[in-house]
């Protein structure tokens, strides 16, 4: 009877939240993979981050920051994409190898908590300005938005691809229009950026903004590339999303920010006379990213509870929706702190896979705790948070990598 129940659960788990994706299910082509990941990076806060760069950097500094920051994201996420496709495992199941069966609960809880929080922030980020625009009470818009976004995340990876196919082109069209408006207003692209900004940013701060805008979400890349038909598809789609896609978001925001002096993309589009298109774009923009965030959260909670992902998506969506307004006004700073702790998780997963690749063929003999990985994440996070110089996400990632390499040799050698 127990064997029948296990078999039934496996059949119902169409997203393979508790097992590797079988090779015959790895059928996702380049377009489907790309629209899911580009939809993930087409994120309103990334545009707002670009707006801050446009206000604080000159033309040369802006492009150096965008190219260096997104090149880092492309390489980091591209490696994780390769690992996800090759193993067929979610980030959380990869975490079992890197941190141990029980140790992986730490990384899963950290990522799930963060992504549910950002889901709630995204719901409120759409509902609050649209409420002011059309006069509908905020709570009504929050309930409707939360339900719609939760349902599409519940539908799984195929629904994410369909939504991305619709949202990405529309967002790109409006972004191009907005940039063209800025160019015409200023008399040329090179005239947009001030050579000496009134409130300048340092170049390292600019790179930190670019990397920090998506290094947290990018760590979850294996969740979306494990269905890709081959590793080339996974890597190409990821590099396009995180280098090209995130760069485009930065440019969209930077041009509007530099021209209007306002960093928030919604305010920029209103000043450009695009209030209604702004509301539609903002909704689609947040919708695609929120779906991926909730999908990732569901996988993380599934790893902890051993319950299939889909019911966990409903729970996470409910929590994020109910707490959306509170999260929006009170929790963003704390979420940013947690987000700074996630890059070390990706660093350890990459290095553990490189050093112990043969162990990923089976789930047997995985210890409850892998202290090399756990201590590396904790050490990298502390260094990233408290080191007063450099680029925080990179500081934490590099520190965790160094700590893991040392401890893996010491502890691994003793084993």
């Amino acid at each position: 009877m127990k064997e029948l129940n296990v078999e039934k659960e496996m059949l119902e788990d169409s997203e393979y939240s508790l097992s590797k994706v079988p090779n015959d299910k790895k059928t996702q082509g380049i377009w489907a993979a790309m629209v899911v990941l580009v939809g993930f990076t087409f994120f309103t806060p990334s545009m707002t981050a670009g707006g801050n760069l446009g206000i604080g950097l000159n033309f040369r500094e802006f492009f150096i920051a965008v190219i260096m920051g997104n090149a880092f994201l492309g390489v980091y996420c591209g490696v994780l994409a390769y690992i996800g496709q090759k193993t067929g495992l979610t980030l959380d199941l990869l975490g079992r190898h890197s941190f141990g069966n029980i140790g992986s609960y730490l990384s899963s809880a950290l990522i799930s908590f963060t992504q549910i929080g950002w889901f709630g922030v995204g719901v409120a980020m759409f509902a609050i300005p649209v409420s002011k625009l059309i006069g509908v009470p905020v709570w009504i818009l929050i309930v409707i938005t939360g339900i719609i976004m939760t349902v599409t995340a519940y539908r799984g990876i195929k629904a994410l691809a369909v939504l991305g196919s619709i949202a990405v082109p529309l967002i790109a069209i409006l972004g191009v229009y907005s940039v063209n408006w800025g160019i015409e207003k200023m008399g040329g692209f090179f005239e947009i950026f001030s050579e000496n900004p009134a409130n300048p940013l340092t170049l390292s701060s600019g790179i930190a903004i670019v990397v920090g805008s998506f290094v947290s979400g990018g760590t979850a890349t294996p969740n979306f590339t494990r269905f890709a038909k081959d590793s080339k598809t996974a890597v190409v789609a990821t590099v396009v999303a995180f280098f090209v896609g995130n760069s485009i978001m930065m440019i969209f925001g930077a041009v509007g920010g530099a021209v209007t002096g306002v960093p928030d993309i919604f305010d920029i589009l209103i000043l450009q006379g695009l209030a209604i298109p702004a509301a539609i774009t903002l909704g689609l923009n947040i919708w695609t990213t929120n779906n991926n965030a909730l999908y990732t959260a569901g996988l993380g909670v599934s790893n902890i509870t051993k319950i299939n992902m889909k019911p966990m998506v409903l729970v996470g969506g409910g929590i994020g929706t109910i707490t959306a307004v509170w999260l929006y006004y009170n929790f963003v700073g704390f979420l940013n702190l947690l987000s700074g702790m996630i890059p070390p998780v990706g660093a350890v997963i990459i290095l553990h896979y490189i050093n112990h690749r043969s162990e990923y063929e089976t789930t047997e003999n995985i210890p409850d705790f892998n202290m090399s990985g756990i201590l590396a994440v904790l050490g990298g996070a502390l260094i990233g948070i408290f080191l007063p110089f450099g680029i925080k996400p990179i500081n934490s990632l590099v520190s965790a990598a160094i700590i893991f390499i040392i401890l893996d040799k010491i502890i691994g050698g003793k084993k």
Side-chain angles (χ1 to χ4, degrees), residues 334-354:
F334 189 43
L335 285 170
N336 282 328
L337 177 65
L338 289 175
S339 297
M341 298 170 68
I342 292 177
V345 173
V348 170
I349 284 174
I350 290 170
L351 290 170
H352 190 275
Y353 178 78
I354 292 171

Side-chain angles (χ1 to χ4, degrees), residues 120-186:
V121 170
V123 169
M125 190 180 291
F126 170 76
I128 291 172
V130 171
S131 172
K132 294 176 182 177
L133 187 67
I134 64 177
V136 175
V138 171
W139 71 268
I140 293 178
L141 288 175
I142 284 176
V143 171
I144 294 172
T145 304
I147 290 173
I148 292 173
M149 291 181 178
T150 300
V151 167
T152 48
Y154 179 87
R155 298 295 298 173
I157 197 75
K158 292 181 180 178
L160 301 188
V162 171
L163 179 61
S165 298
I166 298 169
V168 168
L170 292 178
I171 295 165
I173 290 169
L174 187 63
V176 169
Y177 179 89
S178 176
V179 169
N180 187 63
W181 176 88
I183 292 172
E184 290 182 355
K185 187 172 181 66
M186 300 302 293

Side-chain angles (χ1 to χ4, degrees), residues 92 95-96 99-111 300 303-306:
D92 302 279
R96 292 188 189 180
F99 308 109
N101 279 322
I102 298 176
S104 68
Y105 296 175
L106 173 64
S107 59
S108 292
L110 180 68
I111 291 167
N303 180 51
I304 297 169
T305 63
K306 303 299 182 289

Side-chain angles (χ1 to χ4, degrees), residues 22-56:
N23 288 332
D24 64 339
K25 297 296 182 180
K26 294 180 180 180
T27 58
Q28 191 180 55
I30 186 68
W31 173 253
M34 196 174 295
V35 294
V36 169
L37 288 162
V38 172
F40 196 19
T41 60
F42 273 34
F43 187 33
T44 298
S46 292
M47 291 192 197
T48 299
N52 283 293
L53 295 180
I55 293 172

Side-chain angles (χ1 to χ4, degrees), residues 62-409:
F62 169 74
F63 274 95
I64 290 174
V66 168
I67 290 170
M68 290 184 66
N70 285 319
F72 174 85
L73 285 175
V75 172
Y76 170 67
C77 298
V79 175
L80 286 168
Y82 175 88
I83 294 171
Q85 195 282 328
K86 282 294 183 182
T87 62
L89 299 175
T90 67
L91 177 69
D92 302 279
L93 296 182
L94 289 169
R96 292 188 189 180
H97 290 274
S98 302
F99 308 109
N101 279 322
I102 298 176
S104 68
Y105 296 175
L106 173 64
S107 59
S108 292
L110 180 68
I111 291 167
S112 299
F113 184 61
T114 305
Q115 295 305 307
I116 289 172
W118 278 121
F119 174 85
V121 170
V123 169
M125 190 180 291
F126 170 76
I128 291 172
V130 171
S131 172
K132 294 176 182 177
L133 187 67
I134 64 177
V136 175
V138 171
W139 71 268
I140 293 178
L141 288 175
I142 284 176
V143 171
I144 294 172
T145 304
I147 290 173
I148 292 173
M149 291 181 178
T150 300
V151 167
T152 48
Y154 179 87
R155 298 295 298 173
I157 197 75
K158 292 181 180 178
L160 301 188
V162 171
L163 179 61
S165 298
I166 298 169
V168 168
L170 292 178
I171 295 165
I173 290 169
L174 187 63
V176 169
Y177 179 89
S178 176
V179 169
N180 187 63
W181 176 88
I183 292 172
E184 290 182 355
K185 187 172 181 66
M186 300 302 293
F189 187 80
F190 293 100
E191 306 300 321
I192 291 172
F193 294 84
S194 172
E195 186 59 34
N196 298 295
N199 298 298
L201 290 169
T202 64
L203 182 58
S204 63
S205 296
I207 296 172
I209 288 172
V210 176
V211 174
S213 69
F214 234 90
V215 71
S216 173
T219 302
T221 301
N223 292 341
F224 310 108
T225 60
R226 60 202 170 103
F227 291 95
K229 64 181 181 180
D230 53 50
S231 56
K232 181 180 178 181
T233 296
V235 173
V236 170
T238 300
V239 172
V240 168
F242 285 94
F243 182 70
V244 179
N246 207 41
S247 295
I248 290 172
M249 289 295 96
M250 294 287 171
I251 293 171
F252 287 170
V255 170
V259 173
T260 64
V262 176
D264 188 278
I265 188 63
F266 191 70
D267 293 334
I268 290 169
L269 292 172
I270 289 175
L271 288 172
Q272 293 174 338
L274 299 170
I276 299 301
I280 296 170
T281 302
L282 184 66
L284 288 171
N285 189 291
I286 292 172
W287 192 355
T288 54
T289 303
N290 261 16
N291 270 260
N292 293 53
L294 197 56
Y295 186 86
T296 295
L299 290 171
V301 178
S302 178
N303 180 51
I304 297 169
T305 63
K306 303 299 182 289
I307 298 172
N308 289 344
M309 169 210 133
K310 288 192 172 183
M312 297 299 98
V313 165
L314 297 178
V315 172
I319 294 171
T321 301
I322 291 169
T323 58
V325 173
W326 182 86
L327 287 166
Y328 182 78
Y329 287 112
N330 298 282
F331 211 46
V332 174
F334 189 43
L335 285 170
N336 282 328
L337 177 65
L338 289 175
S339 297
M341 298 170 68
I342 292 177
V345 173
V348 170
I349 284 174
I350 290 170
L351 290 170
H352 190 275
Y353 178 78
I354 292 171
N355 293 346
H356 305 276
R357 189 175 307 183
S358 62
E359 298 175 9
Y360 286 72
E361 296 302 319
T362 178
T363 57
E364 296 178 2
N365 301 319
I366 297 177
D368 286 340
F369 298 96
N370 183 346
M371 295 311 298
S372 301
I374 293 170
L375 292 174
V377 168
L378 294 175
L382 290 172
I383 291 170
I385 291 168
F386 293 108
L387 196 67
F389 56 86
I391 301 170
K392 287 186 180 296
I394 298 179
N395 288 347
S396 64
L397 189 149
V398 172
S399 300
I402 294 171
I403 294 169
F404 177 78
I405 290 170
I406 295 170
L407 291 179
D408 194 45
K409 285 186 177 294

